[in-house]
Amino acid sequence: PTPPAAPEDKSASVPANAPVLTIDGVCPPQPKAASAAKTAAGAKTPATKSSTAGCKTVITKAQFEKLANSLAPNVTPQLKKQLAGLLPRLMAMSQDAQKEGLDKTPEFTERVKFVKMQVLSQALQQEIQKKAADVPDADLQKSYKEHPETFEQYNLDRIFVPRTKQVEPEAKADEDKDKDEKLTEEQQKAKEAADKAKSEEGEQAMTKLAEDLRARAAKGEDFAKLQKEAFEAAGMKIESPTVNLPSVRRTGLPPGHAAVFDLKQGDVSQVISDSGGHYIYKVNSKTELPFDQAKNEIHSKLQNDRMRDMMEKVNKSFNVTPNPDYFGPGGVGAAPPQHMPRPRPGMPPNAPTAQPQNQPPAQPPAAQPN
């Protein structure tokens, strides 16, 4: 069945001062001066729990979006709904916690210090990301001109020759296995030596075939025809691969094949062998990616380089010497990743009371400090 269409987002038409959440039973925050006066007036009597009857908190669109954007930039309508469902409960629970005096405990003070450090760390990382993304156009042009080989595109033909021939069918292999179990130790060793020699002979045959195909390719024979011969000689029952690679960058081939990019148009490479097999390349043409098409790629690379340099500067600005008698051998855990997860809407970023499941092990646990 066709899924129902998403409801139309009409939030933009709501005025900034219009209420979007009305929470009955939760008192709005009191000004500090009024709170102090209330405390002084009731200083002669023991503190008692005040009733929330008649309390009401009204949150306007401007207030709600200010909070939502601080927790998750470019917040989506779905995240707004999640925050709206969570915020009233957090406000009610925090109000009751204050009535219990939980905001006056040493544990609360230490947690606030830690959460504040996390929020400031994330704010610094966001600022570094913002600065790193501001790459001048002149730097983009300079990088493009200084590294022309990075943006070269090659049209190649390639022949792949398997290293060994296709193994025997599974049914026959099972039959031979049963026979092997009846052999004596000497017979088994002799058979293994014969199998090894046969395998080496097959590898040598495929290596010689690759050299022969390379010589024929250099004389101008069709690569598709040669590729088909290679698979038939190897006993491959699957369709031979496509020989043409229409647009290959230097990062598109394994490092051991990089010599291909030094060939001239029309040249055929020597046989390049690795653990997978043997390869023969021919350069059909070489073009250069225009700056307009390479601009975004260059920007991403320079942005990542700038971010890495900025974060390394921060990380090298301090040094840690842990006490091995306290932490034990091996020192302390690894530092958290540089890109910490964004805070989930409706709760403090990485609050110790609600650690995300993928939080790095080095983060302090959610439990109260001992």
Side-chain angles (χ1 to χ4, degrees):
T2 303
E8 182 183 357
D9 183 10
K10 300 180 180 180
S11 60
S13 62
V14 178
N17 60 350
V20 294
L21 280 179
T22 302
I23 309 169
D24 291 318
V26 175
C27 298
Q30 299 293 326
K32 291 184 178 181
S35 178
K38 182 178 180 181
T39 302
K44 296 180 181 180
T45 59
T48 58
K49 297 181 182 179
S50 60
S51 172
T52 58
C55 283
K56 178 188 294 186
T57 297
V58 178
I59 301 176
T60 65
K61 172 187 174 181
Q63 294 170 330
F64 182 82
E65 292 193 344
K66 182 179 180 181
L67 172 62
N69 291 327
S70 69
L71 296 173
N74 303 319
V75 63
T76 63
Q78 182 62 31
L79 289 178
K80 289 181 181 179
K81 291 182 179 180
Q82 294 179 8
L83 176 58
L86 183 62
L87 183 59
R89 180 163 58 87
L90 289 178
M91 295 177 66
M93 293 182 69
S94 62
Q95 180 176 269
D96 287 349
Q98 288 179 332
K99 293 176 186 177
E100 296 287 344
L102 299 182
D103 59 332
K104 303 296 191 297
T105 62
E107 292 85 352
F108 174 80
T109 302
E110 292 304 313
R111 286 187 175 188
V112 168
K113 288 181 182 178
F114 180 74
V115 172
K116 184 177 180 180
M117 286 189 290
Q118 284 188 308
V119 173
L120 288 174
S121 297
Q122 290 182 337
L124 176 62
Q125 290 176 353
Q126 291 173 357
E127 184 65 17
I128 287 176
Q129 289 178 347
K130 181 179 178 182
K131 290 181 178 179
D134 187 17
V135 183
D137 192 68
D139 289 355
L140 301 178
Q141 293 276 4
K142 180 181 178 183
S143 179
Y144 179 77
K145 293 177 181 178
E146 290 180 348
H147 306 281
E149 71 283 353
T150 304
F151 308 102
E152 292 174 345
Q153 296 184 129
Y154 292 79
N155 184 298
L156 305 174
D157 284 341
R158 178 176 65 184
I159 300 172
F160 168 64
V161 182
R163 176 172 288 276
T164 59
K165 294 186 178 183
Q166 182 72 25
V167 296
E168 56 191 352
E170 185 176 352
K172 190 174 185 302
D174 292 340
E175 182 180 341
D176 290 345
K177 183 178 179 181
D178 294 336
K179 292 181 180 179
D180 292 345
E181 293 176 353
K182 301 176 182 179
L183 297 177
T184 64
E185 185 177 351
E186 292 184 359
Q187 290 174 330
Q188 182 68 26
K189 289 182 179 180
K191 184 179 184 305
E192 289 176 358
D195 290 342
K196 182 179 179 181
K198 183 178 180 181
S199 176
E200 291 177 351
E201 182 181 351
E203 288 189 16
Q204 293 174 1
M206 298 306 293
T207 300
K208 183 179 183 304
L209 174 64
E211 293 291 348
D212 293 343
L213 294 179
R214 188 267 165 194
R216 292 167 59 186
K219 293 179 180 179
E221 288 198 41
D222 182 62
F223 266 58
K225 173 189 173 184
L226 299 178
Q227 177 64 77
K228 185 177 180 181
E229 288 186 26
F231 264 40
E232 289 176 350
M236 305 292 287
K237 303 302 181 182
I238 60 176
E239 185 178 354
S240 57
T242 303
V243 298
N244 185 249
L245 307 176
S247 182
V248 181
R249 303 273 291 277
R250 287 182 176 268
T251 55
L253 294 181
H257 299 204
V260 173
F261 301 113
D262 296 329
L263 299 175
K264 298 178 181 179
Q265 182 173 335
D267 286 353
V268 175
S269 72
Q270 298 298 320
V271 176
I272 301 174
S273 302
D274 58 25
S275 59
H278 310 284
Y279 302 83
I280 305 160
Y281 292 90
K282 178 183 178 181
V283 178
N284 297 319
S285 63
K286 181 177 73 172
T287 58
E288 190 171 296
L289 193 68
F291 173 74
D292 290 342
Q293 297 180 25
K295 186 175 182 179
N296 290 339
E297 179 183 334
I298 300 172
H299 184 278
S300 296
K301 182 184 181 305
L302 294 183
Q303 179 181 351
N304 291 335
D305 292 345
R306 287 155 61 98
M307 284 181 59
R308 183 182 62 251
D309 293 342
M310 293 178 187
M311 289 305 304
E312 285 183 357
K313 183 178 179 181
V314 174
N315 293 332
K316 290 180 180 179
S317 66
F318 62 89
N319 186 37
V320 182
T321 305
N323 185 335
D325 294 335
Y326 180 78
F327 291 104
V332 296
Q338 295 181 3
H339 303 289
M340 298 176 68
R342 289 180 177 176
R344 289 182 288 176
M347 61 182 64
N350 295 336
T353 53
Q355 291 284 358
Q357 293 182 357
N358 60 349
Q359 193 73 7
Q363 290 288 0
Q368 279 185 261
N370 187 353

